[in-house]
Amino acid sequence: MEAEKRIDFKFPKVGQRIIRSVCAVFICFIIYYLRGQEGSPFYSALAVLQCMQPYKDSTAKMAKQRAIGTFIGAFWGLVVIMVELYLLKDGMEMTALTYLIISLATGCVIYSTVLLNFKDVSYFACVVFLSITVVHIADDNPYIFVMNRVLETLIGIGISIVVNSFHLPRKRNQDILFVSGVDEVLLTAEEHLNPYGMVELNRLIERGANITVSTGRTPASLMEAIGPIRLKLPVIVMDGAALFDIRKKSYLLTCVLSYQQSKDIIEVLDQSGVGYFANVVMDDVLVIYYEELRNSAEQDIYSKLSKSYYRNYVKRRLPENENVIYFMVIDLKEKVAEVYSRLEREGFTKEYKILTYDSKEYAGYSYIKIYNKEATRKNMLENLKEMLNLEKSVVFGTNPEVCDVLIQNFDSNGLVKTIRKLYEPVKFFK
């Protein structure tokens, strides 16, 4: 009898956005009572929820849009009220003509946002306009509602900005470089970013934390995986063979194999009957040389990655005097084991850094990657610290031998909590 599958369910973590939204809405009600219950807290609470964004810059952008949309909608709402009161003199009755005027004015609202180059606020402006002209146009004094509508929206916007900017007093340790692994650390088992971890990391970076990543991936693969994280510092890529500036798309430092070393490696690979990809950096462009696609895994890799803007595959032998960052071989496990044994017998494993591991994507296949002996993440980290003039570092990863903080079970939330605790501990007054 087939064993029943166990389903592990965890409730999502209550994030700061939820907590801040609850507090902000409550403040809206407090201000409503302090104003003598004048108007309606519904509109200020609505503005708070719309403006409460994960980041300060997105909160400011949303607040601006909400304010502009409110003023445009309120303006055209006043125009319709004045037309009804002073031109048609219908006593604010909802007639067929009134509906026609409101519909036409809705077009004016949208056109105004286009004319003023605020197309993103058209929805907000229409919501304000229709709430005035459809819901409250028949009030005894619709002018009061228009003024309250604008005031309540501005109150909600102000509360959202204040609440989203509030933080407990903290000491910021800007003399520490935090270095995170990528696979099984930042990424989930499905190779996605954890939403909570992503938002909190971006908040820490926004507040000045020195955060970077160290990975075996190429810059292209890294950016595809963690693009939403707004890293500002250079990143360690290709298992320590290169230091890459994500913002400038530039290689700051590389640790390469000389052309003569590359020729020796290619000779062994040719004699072993396996293909290879030789990764070379030319003027900040990653060029990948290959001679022949010998198996289905190589063909699939080429088919998927050759379309990338950041990768340039060239079918030819390695040009003379080109320095290689690393060689990559993928073939059947048995073949890779034979090649590695030969490299070991001929002393290559002592002269170079050679990694071999099974492929997760291609069943029955394994990889070999060959680097300069000095191309290590530890060495490149020391170079980065010297470049940033930092002495302290905390490395997060899955290998207890090379990291300071061990991350297990894809716990990116634990990673973020630890960084936050180390970077900005709460500072209590003495």
Side-chain angles (χ1 to χ4, degrees):
M1 183 176 179
E2 186 178 352
E4 294 183 3
K5 292 184 178 179
R6 180 182 175 185
I7 300 176
D8 293 326
F9 176 78
K10 293 182 179 179
F11 285 100
K13 179 180 174 61
V14 177
Q16 287 195 35
R17 186 178 180 184
I18 296 175
I19 297 172
R20 291 174 186 272
S21 296
V22 170
C23 295
V25 169
F26 182 63
I27 293 172
C28 289
F29 287 112
I30 292 176
I31 292 178
Y32 168 67
Y33 277 101
L34 293 176
R35 292 177 59 208
Q37 301 185 33
E38 183 71 25
S40 171
F42 169 78
Y43 297 104
S44 56
L46 185 63
V48 156
L49 295 175
Q50 289 174 331
C51 295
M52 192 65 66
Q53 299 294 315
Y55 311 118
K56 286 184 180 180
D57 54 352
S58 55
T59 295
K61 181 180 179 181
M62 183 60 69
K64 179 181 177 182
Q65 292 180 357
R66 196 71 180 84
I68 292 171
T70 297
F71 283 118
I72 292 175
F75 169 78
W76 284 106
L78 279 173
V79 170
V80 170
I81 289 174
M82 293 175 67
V83 168
E84 287 286 328
L85 285 177
Y86 300 112
L87 294 182
L88 301 181
K89 299 180 180 179
D90 285 338
M92 310 309 290
E93 295 293 333
M94 299 301 287
T95 64
L97 181 58
T98 301
Y99 290 129
L100 176 61
I101 292 172
I102 291 173
S103 300
L104 293 173
T106 302
C108 294
V109 174
I110 298 172
Y111 183 75
S112 297
T113 63
V114 175
L115 187 65
L116 297 173
N117 199 26
F118 290 116
K119 299 177 184 179
D120 293 338
V121 309
S122 60
Y123 172 76
F124 296 141
C126 288
V127 168
V128 173
F129 169 74
L130 293 173
S131 69
I132 293 171
T133 56
V134 176
V135 181
H136 292 277
I137 197 170
D139 289 359
D140 294 334
N141 193 339
Y143 294 110
I144 297 296
F145 171 76
V146 173
M147 289 187 291
N148 279 330
R149 182 72 167 84
V150 173
L151 178 61
E152 287 154 6
T153 298
L154 295 178
I155 289 173
I157 292 172
I159 291 172
S160 67
I161 292 174
V162 171
V163 171
N164 219 24
S165 301
F166 174 78
H167 297 284
L168 291 172
R170 295 178 181 271
K171 175 187 176 182
R172 294 183 177 178
N173 294 314
Q174 295 182 315
D175 60 340
I176 303 176
L177 177 61
F178 299 100
V179 185
S180 170
V182 176
D183 296 283
E184 301 183 31
V185 182
L186 280 179
L187 299 180
T188 64
E190 294 75 27
E191 297 196 353
H192 298 305
L193 286 170
N194 180 300
Y196 169 79
M198 178 189 69
V199 170
E200 290 303 311
L201 267 183
N202 283 335
R203 281 179 173 162
L204 286 166
I205 293 169
E206 186 181 77
R207 295 201 287 270
N210 295 311
I211 297 175
T212 188
V213 299
S214 178
T215 178
R217 293 174 177 251
T218 63
S221 175
L222 176 65
M223 289 186 287
E224 290 164 0
I226 65 166
I229 297 180
R230 305 173 181 180
L231 293 171
K232 297 179 181 179
L233 300 182
V235 295
I236 298 169
V237 294
M238 301 177 182
D239 208 51
L243 193 62
F244 186 75
D245 189 322
I246 287 184
R247 294 186 296 175
K248 296 181 179 179
K249 306 294 187 293
S250 174
Y251 287 87
L252 304 179
L253 190 63
T254 56
C255 186
V256 299
L257 297 160
S258 70
Y259 178 67
Q260 184 58 52
Q261 289 175 320
S262 299
K263 280 181 62 179
D264 295 341
I265 293 169
I266 290 172
E267 183 179 352
V268 173
L269 297 179
D270 285 341
Q271 292 174 357
S272 301
V274 293
Y276 60 86
F277 295 102
N279 293 262
V280 176
V281 171
M282 298 175 57
D283 297 326
D284 286 331
V285 175
L286 182 63
V287 180
I288 305 170
Y289 293 102
Y290 70 101
E291 294 187 62
E292 186 180 353
L293 301 176
R294 304 188 182 210
N295 56 59
S296 59
E298 288 181 338
Q299 292 167 2
D300 191 59
I301 288 172
Y302 173 81
S303 175
K304 289 179 179 178
L305 303 185
S306 62
K307 300 179 179 64
S308 168
Y309 175 79
Y310 300 102
R311 302 177 179 93
N312 299 273
Y313 282 81
V314 179
K315 187 178 181 181
R316 62 161 294 179
R317 198 166 184 83
L318 180 69
E320 190 171 349
N321 296 325
E322 287 289 359
N323 297 322
V324 175
I325 290 189
Y326 74 96
F327 286 91
M328 186 187 82
V329 174
I330 182 168
D331 214 310
L332 293 173
K333 289 183 180 181
E334 297 80 7
K335 189 71 173 177
V336 167
E338 292 174 7
V339 175
Y340 184 82
S341 295
R342 179 171 183 170
L343 290 168
E344 191 174 31
R345 285 195 309 271
E346 298 187 16
F348 281 79
T349 53
K350 294 181 180 179
E351 188 176 351
Y352 306 102
K353 185 178 89 171
I354 302 180
L355 306 179
T356 180
Y357 55 93
D358 293 340
S359 171
K360 295 179 181 178
E361 302 90 347
Y362 306 103
Y365 282 81
S366 294
Y367 288 98
I368 291 179
K369 291 184 178 179
I370 307 173
Y371 303 83
N372 184 299
K373 189 73 172 179
E374 301 302 316
T376 67
R377 300 193 196 191
K378 181 179 179 181
N379 288 344
M380 198 56 76
L381 174 57
E382 292 304 315
N383 285 314
L384 177 58
K385 286 162 65 176
E386 184 178 352
M387 188 180 297
L388 299 174
N389 196 27
L390 295 172
E391 295 182 1
K392 301 177 184 178
S393 64
V394 179
V395 179
F396 300 82
T398 56
N399 186 348
E401 296 180 1
V402 296
C403 65
D404 303 305
V405 179
L406 186 64
I407 301 298
Q408 297 177 309
N409 302 319
F410 305 90
D411 188 17
S412 61
N413 289 349
L415 162 76
V416 172
K417 291 176 185 177
T418 304
I419 293 179
R420 186 171 59 209
K421 187 183 299 183
L422 294 173
Y423 172 62
E424 47 179 19
V426 177
K427 183 174 63 176
F428 295 101
F429 295 102
K430 293 183 180 180

